[in-house]
Coordinates of all heavy atoms in Angstrom, one line a residue:
T11 N 57.4 -37.0 79.6 CA 56.0 -36.6 79.3 C 55.1 -37.8 79.2 O 55.5 -38.9 78.6 CB 56.0 -35.9 77.9 OG1 57.0 -34.9 77.9 CG2 54.6 -35.4 77.6
V12 N 54.0 -37.7 79.8 CA 53.0 -38.8 79.8 C 51.8 -38.3 79.0 O 51.2 -37.3 79.4 CB 52.5 -39.2 81.3 CG1 51.5 -40.3 81.2 CG2 53.7 -39.6 82.1
S13 N 51.5 -39.0 77.9 CA 50.3 -38.6 77.2 C 49.1 -39.1 77.9 O 49.0 -40.3 78.4 CB 50.3 -39.2 75.7 OG 50.4 -40.6 75.8
V14 N 48.1 -38.3 78.1 CA 46.9 -38.5 78.9 C 45.7 -38.7 78.1 O 45.4 -37.9 77.2 CB 46.7 -37.4 79.9 CG1 45.5 -37.5 80.7 CG2 47.9 -37.3 80.9
K15 N 44.9 -39.8 78.4 CA 43.6 -40.0 77.8 C 42.6 -40.2 78.9 O 42.9 -40.8 79.9 CB 43.6 -41.2 76.9 CG 44.4 -41.0 75.6 CD 44.2 -42.2 74.7 CE 45.0 -42.1 73.4 NZ 44.8 -43.3 72.6
F16 N 41.4 -39.7 78.7 CA 40.4 -39.8 79.8 C 39.0 -40.0 79.3 O 38.0 -39.8 80.0 CB 40.5 -38.6 80.7 CG 40.4 -37.3 79.9 CD1 39.1 -36.7 79.7 CD2 41.5 -36.6 79.4 CE1 39.0 -35.5 79.0 CE2 41.4 -35.5 78.7 CZ 40.1 -34.9 78.5
R17 N 38.9 -40.4 78.0 CA 37.5 -40.6 77.5 C 36.7 -41.7 78.1 O 35.5 -41.6 78.3 CB 37.6 -40.8 76.0 CG 38.0 -39.6 75.2 CD 37.9 -39.9 73.7 NE 36.5 -40.4 73.4 CZ 36.2 -40.8 72.2 NH1 37.0 -40.7 71.2 NH2 34.9 -41.2 72.0
T18 N 37.4 -42.8 78.4 CA 36.7 -44.0 79.0 C 37.5 -44.4 80.2 O 38.7 -44.0 80.4 CB 36.7 -45.2 78.0 OG1 38.0 -45.6 77.7 CG2 36.0 -44.8 76.7
V19 N 36.9 -45.3 81.0 CA 37.6 -45.9 82.1 C 38.9 -46.6 81.7 O 39.9 -46.5 82.3 CB 36.7 -46.9 82.9 CG1 37.5 -47.6 84.0 CG2 35.5 -46.1 83.5
Q20 N 38.8 -47.3 80.6 CA 39.9 -48.1 80.0 C 41.0 -47.1 79.6 O 42.2 -47.4 79.9 CB 39.5 -49.0 78.9 CG 40.6 -50.0 78.5 CD 40.9 -50.9 79.7 OE1 40.0 -51.4 80.4 NE2 42.2 -51.1 80.0
D21 N 40.7 -46.0 79.0 CA 41.7 -45.0 78.7 C 42.5 -44.5 79.9 O 43.7 -44.4 79.9 CB 41.1 -43.8 78.0 CG 40.8 -44.0 76.5 OD1 41.2 -45.0 76.0 OD2 40.0 -43.2 76.0
V22 N 41.7 -44.3 81.0 CA 42.4 -43.8 82.2 C 43.3 -44.9 82.8 O 44.4 -44.7 83.2 CB 41.3 -43.4 83.3 CG1 42.0 -43.0 84.6 CG2 40.5 -42.2 82.7
K23 N 42.7 -46.1 82.8 CA 43.5 -47.3 83.3 C 44.8 -47.5 82.5 O 45.9 -47.7 83.1 CB 42.7 -48.6 83.3 CG 41.7 -48.6 84.4 CD 40.9 -49.9 84.3 CE 39.8 -50.0 85.4 NZ 39.1 -51.3 85.3
D24 N 44.7 -47.4 81.2 CA 45.9 -47.5 80.3 C 46.9 -46.4 80.6 O 48.1 -46.7 80.6 CB 45.4 -47.5 78.9 CG 44.7 -48.8 78.5 OD1 44.6 -49.8 79.2 OD2 44.0 -48.8 77.4
T25 N 46.4 -45.2 80.7 CA 47.3 -44.1 81.0 C 48.1 -44.3 82.3 O 49.3 -44.1 82.4 CB 46.5 -42.8 81.1 OG1 45.9 -42.5 79.8 CG2 47.4 -41.6 81.4
L26 N 47.4 -44.8 83.3 CA 48.0 -45.0 84.6 C 48.8 -46.3 84.7 O 49.6 -46.4 85.7 CB 46.9 -45.0 85.7 CG 46.1 -43.7 85.9 CD1 45.1 -43.8 87.0 CD2 47.0 -42.5 86.0
A27 N 48.7 -47.1 83.7 CA 49.5 -48.3 83.7 C 50.8 -48.2 82.8 O 51.6 -49.1 82.8 CB 48.7 -49.5 83.1
K28 N 50.9 -47.1 82.1 CA 52.1 -46.8 81.3 C 53.4 -46.8 82.1 O 53.4 -46.3 83.2 CB 52.0 -45.5 80.5 CG 50.9 -45.5 79.4 CD 51.0 -44.1 78.8 CE 49.9 -44.0 77.7 NZ 49.8 -42.7 77.1
Q29 N 54.4 -47.3 81.4 CA 55.7 -47.3 82.1 C 56.2 -45.8 82.3 O 56.8 -45.5 83.3 CB 56.8 -48.0 81.2 CG 58.1 -48.2 81.9 CD 58.0 -48.9 83.2 OE1 57.3 -49.9 83.3 NE2 58.8 -48.4 84.2
S30 N 55.9 -44.9 81.4 CA 56.2 -43.5 81.5 C 55.6 -42.9 82.7 O 56.1 -41.9 83.3 CB 55.9 -42.7 80.2 OG 54.5 -42.8 79.9
F31 N 54.4 -43.4 83.1 CA 53.7 -42.9 84.3 C 54.3 -43.5 85.6 O 54.6 -42.8 86.5 CB 52.2 -43.2 84.2 CG 51.5 -42.9 85.5 CD1 51.1 -41.6 85.8 CD2 51.2 -43.9 86.4 CE1 50.4 -41.2 86.9 CE2 50.5 -43.5 87.6 CZ 50.1 -42.2 87.9
K32 N 54.6 -44.8 85.5 CA 55.1 -45.5 86.7 C 56.5 -45.1 87.1 O 56.9 -45.2 88.2 CB 55.0 -47.0 86.5 CG 53.5 -47.5 86.5 CD 53.5 -49.0 86.4 CE 52.0 -49.4 86.6 NZ 51.9 -50.9 86.6
S33 N 57.2 -44.6 86.1 CA 58.6 -44.3 86.4 C 58.7 -42.9 87.0 O 59.8 -42.5 87.5 CB 59.4 -44.3 85.1 OG 59.0 -43.2 84.2
K34 N 57.6 -42.2 87.2 CA 57.6 -40.9 87.8 C 57.6 -41.0 89.3 O 57.2 -42.0 89.9 CB 56.4 -40.0 87.3 CG 56.3 -39.9 85.9 CD 57.3 -39.0 85.3 CE 57.1 -38.7 83.8 NZ 58.2 -38.6 83.0
S35 N 58.0 -39.9 90.0 CA 57.9 -39.9 91.5 C 56.4 -39.9 91.9 O 55.5 -39.6 91.1 CB 58.6 -38.7 92.0 OG 57.9 -37.5 91.6
H36 N 56.2 -40.2 93.2 CA 54.8 -40.2 93.7 C 54.2 -38.8 93.5 O 53.0 -38.6 93.1 CB 54.8 -40.6 95.1 CG 53.4 -40.4 95.7 ND1 52.3 -41.2 95.4 CD2 53.0 -39.5 96.7 CE1 51.3 -40.8 96.1 NE2 51.6 -39.8 96.8
K37 N 55.0 -37.7 93.7 CA 54.5 -36.4 93.7 C 54.1 -36.1 92.2 O 53.0 -35.5 92.0 CB 55.7 -35.4 94.0 CG 55.3 -34.0 94.1 CD 56.5 -33.2 94.6 CE 56.1 -31.7 94.8 NZ 57.2 -30.9 95.4
R38 N 54.8 -36.5 91.2 CA 54.5 -36.3 89.8 C 53.3 -37.1 89.4 O 52.4 -36.6 88.7 CB 55.7 -36.6 88.9 CG 55.4 -36.3 87.5 CD 55.4 -34.7 87.2 NE 55.2 -34.5 85.8 CZ 54.2 -33.8 85.3 NH1 53.3 -33.4 86.2 NH2 54.0 -33.7 84.1
Q39 N 53.2 -38.3 89.9 CA 52.1 -39.2 89.7 C 50.8 -38.6 90.2 O 49.7 -38.6 89.5 CB 52.2 -40.6 90.3 CG 53.2 -41.4 89.5 CD 53.4 -42.8 90.1 OE1 52.6 -43.2 91.1 NE2 54.3 -43.6 89.6
S40 N 50.9 -38.0 91.4 CA 49.7 -37.3 92.0 C 49.2 -36.1 91.1 O 48.0 -35.9 90.9 CB 50.0 -36.8 93.4 OG 50.3 -37.9 94.2
Q41 N 50.2 -35.4 90.6 CA 49.9 -34.3 89.7 C 49.2 -34.8 88.4 O 48.2 -34.2 88.0 CB 51.1 -33.5 89.3 CG 51.7 -32.7 90.5 CD 53.0 -32.1 90.1 OE1 53.7 -32.6 89.3 NE2 53.4 -31.0 90.9
I42 N 49.6 -35.9 87.9 CA 49.0 -36.4 86.6 C 47.6 -36.9 86.9 O 46.7 -36.7 86.2 CB 49.9 -37.5 86.1 CG1 51.3 -36.9 85.6 CG2 49.2 -38.2 84.9 CD1 52.4 -37.9 85.3
I43 N 47.5 -37.6 88.1 CA 46.1 -38.1 88.4 C 45.2 -37.0 88.6 O 44.0 -37.0 88.2 CB 46.2 -39.0 89.7 CG1 46.9 -40.3 89.4 CG2 44.8 -39.3 90.2 CD1 47.3 -41.1 90.6
N44 N 45.7 -35.9 89.3 CA 44.8 -34.7 89.5 C 44.4 -34.1 88.1 O 43.3 -33.7 88.0 CB 45.6 -33.7 90.3 CG 44.7 -32.6 90.9 OD1 43.5 -32.8 91.2 ND2 45.2 -31.4 90.9
L45 N 45.4 -34.0 87.2 CA 45.1 -33.5 85.9 C 44.0 -34.3 85.2 O 43.1 -33.7 84.6 CB 46.4 -33.5 85.0 CG 46.2 -33.1 83.6 CD1 46.7 -31.7 83.4 CD2 47.1 -34.0 82.7
I46 N 44.1 -35.6 85.2 CA 43.1 -36.5 84.6 C 41.7 -36.3 85.3 O 40.7 -36.1 84.6 CB 43.5 -38.0 84.7 CG1 44.8 -38.2 83.8 CG2 42.4 -38.9 84.3 CD1 45.4 -39.6 84.1
H47 N 41.7 -36.2 86.6 CA 40.5 -35.9 87.4 C 39.8 -34.6 86.9 O 38.6 -34.6 86.6 CB 40.9 -35.9 88.8 CG 39.7 -35.6 89.7 ND1 39.5 -34.4 90.3 CD2 38.7 -36.4 90.2 CE1 38.4 -34.4 91.0 NE2 37.9 -35.6 91.0
Q48 N 40.6 -33.6 86.8 CA 40.1 -32.3 86.4 C 39.5 -32.3 85.0 O 38.5 -31.7 84.8 CB 41.2 -31.2 86.6 CG 41.5 -30.9 88.0 CD 42.7 -29.9 88.1 OE1 43.4 -29.7 87.2 NE2 42.9 -29.4 89.3
R49 N 40.3 -32.8 84.1 CA 39.8 -32.9 82.7 C 38.6 -33.7 82.5 O 37.7 -33.4 81.8 CB 41.0 -33.4 81.8 CG 42.1 -32.3 81.7 CD 43.1 -32.8 80.6 NE 44.2 -31.8 80.6 CZ 45.3 -32.0 79.8 NH1 45.4 -33.1 79.1 NH2 46.2 -31.1 79.8
A50 N 38.6 -34.9 83.2 CA 37.4 -35.7 83.1 C 36.2 -35.1 83.7 O 35.1 -35.1 83.1 CB 37.6 -37.1 83.8
R51 N 36.4 -34.3 84.8 CA 35.3 -33.6 85.4 C 34.7 -32.5 84.5 O 33.5 -32.4 84.3 CB 35.7 -33.0 86.7 CG 34.6 -32.2 87.5 CD 35.1 -31.6 88.7 NE 36.1 -30.6 88.4 CZ 37.1 -30.2 89.2 NH1 37.3 -30.8 90.3 NH2 38.0 -29.3 88.8
A52 N 35.6 -31.8 83.9 CA 35.2 -30.7 83.0 C 34.5 -31.2 81.8 O 33.4 -30.7 81.4 CB 36.4 -29.9 82.6
A53 N 35.0 -32.3 81.2 CA 34.4 -32.9 80.0 C 33.0 -33.5 80.4 O 32.0 -33.3 79.6 CB 35.3 -34.0 79.5
Y54 N 32.9 -34.1 81.5 CA 31.6 -34.6 82.0 C 30.6 -33.5 82.2 O 29.4 -33.6 81.8 CB 31.8 -35.4 83.3 CG 30.6 -35.7 84.0 CD1 29.6 -36.6 83.5 CD2 30.3 -35.2 85.3 CE1 28.4 -36.9 84.2 CE2 29.1 -35.5 85.9 CZ 28.2 -36.3 85.4 OH 27.0 -36.6 86.0
K55 N 31.0 -32.4 82.8 CA 30.1 -31.3 83.1 C 29.6 -30.6 81.8 O 28.5 -30.1 81.7 CB 30.7 -30.3 84.0 CG 30.7 -30.8 85.5 CD 31.2 -29.7 86.4 CE 31.2 -30.2 87.8 NZ 31.6 -29.1 88.7
N56 N 30.5 -30.6 80.8 CA 30.2 -29.8 79.6 C 29.5 -30.6 78.5 O 29.0 -29.9 77.5 CB 31.5 -29.1 79.1 CG 32.0 -28.1 80.0 OD1 31.2 -27.4 80.7 ND2 33.3 -28.0 80.1
T57 N 29.5 -31.9 78.5 CA 28.9 -32.6 77.4 C 27.4 -32.7 77.6 O 26.9 -32.7 78.7 CB 29.5 -34.0 77.3 OG1 29.1 -34.6 76.1 CG2 29.1 -34.9 78.5
K58 N 26.7 -32.8 76.5 CA 25.2 -32.8 76.5 C 24.7 -34.2 76.1 O 23.7 -34.7 76.6 CB 24.7 -31.8 75.5 CG 25.1 -30.4 75.7 CD 24.4 -29.8 76.9 CE 24.8 -28.3 77.1 NZ 25.6 -28.1 78.2
D59 N 25.4 -34.9 75.2 CA 25.0 -36.3 74.8 C 24.9 -37.3 75.9 O 25.9 -37.5 76.6 CB 26.0 -36.7 73.7 CG 25.6 -38.1 73.1 OD1 24.4 -38.4 73.0 OD2 26.5 -38.9 72.8
P60 N 23.8 -37.9 76.2 CA 23.7 -38.8 77.3 C 24.6 -40.0 77.3 O 25.1 -40.4 78.4 CB 22.2 -39.3 77.2 CG 21.5 -38.4 76.3 CD 22.5 -37.8 75.4
K61 N 24.9 -40.5 76.1 CA 25.9 -41.7 76.1 C 27.3 -41.2 76.4 O 28.0 -41.9 77.2 CB 25.9 -42.3 74.7 CG 24.7 -43.1 74.4 CD 24.8 -43.8 73.0 CE 23.5 -44.6 72.8 NZ 23.6 -45.2 71.4
K62 N 27.7 -40.1 75.9 CA 29.0 -39.5 76.2 C 29.1 -39.2 77.7 O 30.1 -39.4 78.4 CB 29.3 -38.3 75.4 CG 29.7 -38.6 74.0 CD 30.1 -37.2 73.3 CE 30.4 -37.5 71.8 NZ 30.6 -36.2 71.1
K63 N 28.0 -38.6 78.2 CA 28.0 -38.2 79.6 C 28.1 -39.4 80.5 O 28.9 -39.3 81.5 CB 26.6 -37.4 79.9 CG 26.7 -36.6 81.1 CD 25.6 -35.6 81.1 CE 25.6 -34.7 82.3 NZ 26.5 -33.5 82.1
A64 N 27.5 -40.5 80.2 CA 27.5 -41.7 81.0 C 29.0 -42.3 81.0 O 29.5 -42.7 82.0 CB 26.5 -42.7 80.5
R65 N 29.6 -42.3 79.8 CA 30.9 -42.8 79.6 C 31.9 -41.9 80.4 O 32.8 -42.5 81.1 CB 31.3 -42.8 78.1 CG 32.7 -43.4 77.8 CD 33.1 -43.1 76.4 NE 33.4 -41.7 76.3 CZ 33.1 -41.0 75.2 NH1 32.4 -41.5 74.2 NH2 33.4 -39.7 75.1
L66 N 31.8 -40.6 80.3 CA 32.7 -39.7 81.0 C 32.5 -39.8 82.5 O 33.4 -39.6 83.3 CB 32.5 -38.3 80.5 CG 33.1 -38.0 79.1 CD1 32.6 -36.7 78.5 CD2 34.6 -38.1 79.1
K67 N 31.2 -40.0 82.9 CA 30.9 -40.1 84.4 C 31.7 -41.3 85.0 O 32.3 -41.2 86.1 CB 29.4 -40.3 84.6 CG 29.0 -40.6 86.0 CD 29.0 -39.3 86.9 CE 28.4 -39.6 88.2 NZ 29.2 -39.3 89.3
R68 N 31.7 -42.5 84.3 CA 32.4 -43.6 84.7 C 33.9 -43.3 84.8 O 34.6 -43.7 85.8 CB 32.2 -44.8 83.8 CG 30.7 -45.4 84.0 CD 30.6 -46.7 83.3 NE 30.7 -46.6 81.9 CZ 29.7 -46.3 81.0 NH1 28.5 -46.1 81.5 NH2 30.0 -46.3 79.7
A69 N 34.5 -42.7 83.8 CA 35.9 -42.3 83.7 C 36.2 -41.4 84.9 O 37.2 -41.5 85.6 CB 36.3 -41.7 82.4
F70 N 35.3 -40.4 85.1 CA 35.5 -39.4 86.2 C 35.5 -40.1 87.5 O 36.4 -39.8 88.4 CB 34.4 -38.3 86.1 CG 34.4 -37.4 87.3 CD1 35.5 -36.6 87.6 CD2 33.3 -37.4 88.1 CE1 35.4 -35.8 88.7 CE2 33.2 -36.5 89.2 CZ 34.3 -35.7 89.5
D71 N 34.6 -41.0 87.7 CA 34.5 -41.7 89.0 C 35.7 -42.6 89.3 O 36.2 -42.6 90.4 CB 33.2 -42.6 89.1 CG 31.9 -41.8 89.2 OD1 32.0 -40.7 89.6 OD2 30.9 -42.4 88.9
Y72 N 36.2 -43.2 88.2 CA 37.5 -44.0 88.4 C 38.6 -43.1 88.7 O 39.4 -43.4 89.6 CB 37.8 -44.8 87.1 CG 39.0 -45.6 87.3 CD1 39.0 -46.8 88.0 CD2 40.2 -45.3 86.7 CE1 40.1 -47.6 88.2 CE2 41.3 -46.0 86.9 CZ 41.3 -47.2 87.6 OH 42.4 -47.9 87.8
A73 N 38.7 -42.0 88.1 CA 39.8 -41.0 88.3 C 39.7 -40.5 89.8 O 40.7 -40.3 90.5 CB 39.8 -39.9 87.3
K74 N 38.5 -40.3 90.3 CA 38.3 -39.8 91.6 C 38.8 -40.9 92.6 O 39.4 -40.6 93.6 CB 36.8 -39.5 91.9 CG 36.6 -38.7 93.1 CD 35.2 -38.2 93.4 CE 34.0 -38.6 92.5 NZ 32.7 -38.0 93.0
E75 N 38.5 -42.2 92.3 CA 38.9 -43.3 93.2 C 40.5 -43.3 93.3 O 41.0 -43.4 94.3 CB 38.5 -44.6 92.6 CG 37.1 -45.0 92.9 CD 36.7 -46.3 92.2 OE1 37.6 -47.2 92.0 OE2 35.6 -46.4 91.7
R76 N 41.1 -43.1 92.1 CA 42.6 -43.1 92.1 C 43.1 -41.9 92.8 O 44.2 -42.0 93.4 CB 43.1 -43.2 90.6 CG 42.9 -44.5 89.9 CD 43.6 -45.7 90.6 NE 45.1 -45.5 90.6 CZ 45.9 -46.1 89.7 NH1 45.4 -46.9 88.8 NH2 47.2 -45.8 89.8
K77 N 42.5 -40.8 92.7 CA 42.9 -39.6 93.4 C 42.9 -39.8 94.9 O 43.8 -39.4 95.6 CB 42.1 -38.4 93.0 CG 42.6 -37.1 93.5 CD 41.8 -35.9 93.0 CE 42.2 -34.6 93.6 NZ 41.5 -33.5 93.1
E78 N 41.8 -40.4 95.4 CA 41.7 -40.6 96.8 C 42.8 -41.6 97.3 O 43.3 -41.5 98.4 CB 40.3 -41.1 97.2 CG 39.2 -40.1 97.0 CD 39.4 -38.8 97.7 OE1 39.8 -38.9 98.9 OE2 39.3 -37.7 97.1
A79 N 43.0 -42.7 96.5 CA 44.1 -43.6 96.8 C 45.4 -42.9 96.9 O 46.3 -43.2 97.8 CB 44.1 -44.8 95.8
S80 N 45.7 -42.0 96.0 CA 46.9 -41.3 95.9 C 47.1 -40.4 97.2 O 48.1 -40.3 97.8 CB 47.0 -40.4 94.7 OG 48.2 -39.7 94.6
K81 N 45.9 -39.8 97.6 CA 45.9 -39.0 98.8 C 46.3 -39.9 100.0 O 47.1 -39.5 100.9 CB 44.6 -38.4 99.1 CG 44.3 -37.2 98.2 CD 42.9 -36.7 98.7 CE 42.4 -35.5 97.9 NZ 41.1 -35.1 98.3
R82 N 45.7 -41.1 100.1 CA 46.0 -42.0 101.2 C 47.5 -42.4 101.2 O 48.2 -42.4 102.3 CB 45.2 -43.2 101.2 CG 43.7 -43.0 101.5 CD 42.9 -44.2 101.7 NE 42.8 -45.1 100.5 CZ 41.9 -45.0 99.5 NH1 41.0 -44.1 99.7 NH2 41.9 -45.7 98.5
K83 N 48.1 -42.6 100.0 CA 49.5 -42.9 100.0 C 50.4 -41.8 100.4 O 51.4 -41.9 101.1 CB 49.9 -43.3 98.5 CG 51.3 -43.8 98.4 CD 51.7 -44.3 97.0 CE 53.2 -44.7 97.0 NZ 53.6 -45.1 95.7
T84 N 50.0 -40.6 100.0 CA 50.7 -39.4 100.5 C 50.7 -39.3 102.0 O 51.8 -39.0 102.6 CB 50.0 -38.1 99.9 OG1 50.1 -38.2 98.4 CG2 50.8 -36.9 100.3
K85 N 49.6 -39.5 102.6 CA 49.5 -39.5 104.1 C 50.4 -40.5 104.7 O 51.1 -40.2 105.7 CB 48.1 -39.7 104.5 CG 47.1 -38.6 104.2 CD 47.1 -37.5 105.2 CE 46.0 -36.6 105.0 NZ 46.3 -35.2 105.4
R86 N 50.4 -41.7 104.1 CA 51.2 -42.8 104.6 C 52.7 -42.4 104.5 O 53.5 -42.7 105.4 CB 50.9 -44.0 103.7 CG 51.0 -45.3 104.5 CD 50.5 -46.5 103.7 NE 50.9 -46.7 102.4 CZ 50.1 -46.6 101.3 NH1 48.8 -46.4 101.5 NH2 50.6 -46.8 100.1
L87 N 53.1 -41.8 103.4 CA 54.5 -41.5 103.2 C 54.9 -40.3 104.1 O 56.0 -40.3 104.6 CB 54.7 -41.0 101.7 CG 54.6 -42.1 100.7 CD1 54.7 -41.5 99.3 CD2 55.7 -43.2 100.9
Q88 N 54.0 -39.4 104.4 CA 54.3 -38.3 105.3 C 54.5 -38.8 106.8 O 55.3 -38.3 107.5 CB 53.2 -37.3 105.3 CG 53.2 -36.4 104.0 CD 52.0 -35.5 103.9 OE1 51.0 -35.6 104.7 NE2 52.1 -34.5 103.0
K89 N 53.7 -39.9 107.1 CA 53.9 -40.5 108.5 C 55.2 -41.1 108.7 O 55.8 -41.1 109.8 CB 52.8 -41.5 108.7 CG 51.4 -40.9 109.1 CD 50.5 -42.0 109.5 CE 49.1 -41.4 109.9 NZ 48.1 -42.5 110.1
K90 N 55.8 -41.7 107.6 CA 57.1 -42.3 107.7 C 58.2 -41.3 108.0 O 59.2 -41.7 108.7 CB 57.4 -43.0 106.4 CG 56.8 -44.3 106.2 CD 57.3 -45.0 104.9 CE 56.6 -46.3 104.7 NZ 57.1 -47.0 103.5
K91 N 58.1 -40.1 107.6 CA 59.1 -39.1 107.8 C 59.3 -38.7 109.3 O 58.5 -38.8 110.1 CB 58.8 -37.8 107.0 CG 59.1 -38.1 105.5 CD 59.0 -36.8 104.7 CE 59.3 -37.0 103.3 NZ 59.2 -35.8 102.5

C-alpha cells in the first residue's frame, strides 16, 4: 500500500519518491500516478479559495507531467516486446 498525498507539488514528489512506490511494477506505478492525477484534478476543480486553488493547480500540473512521462515509458516498454 502506498499512502498518497497531493496537496502540494512537494507532497506529490515525496509520494512518488517513496520506496513503497518505487518497489511496485510499472503497471502499478502508472495506476498510482493516475490516481494522484485524478484526485488533484478533482480537488483543484472543487476548491474556491484562490491560494488553495493555485497550490492545487501546481500539484495537478506536476502530476500531469508525471502521467505523460509514464505513458511514454509504457510505449517504450511495449516496443521492446
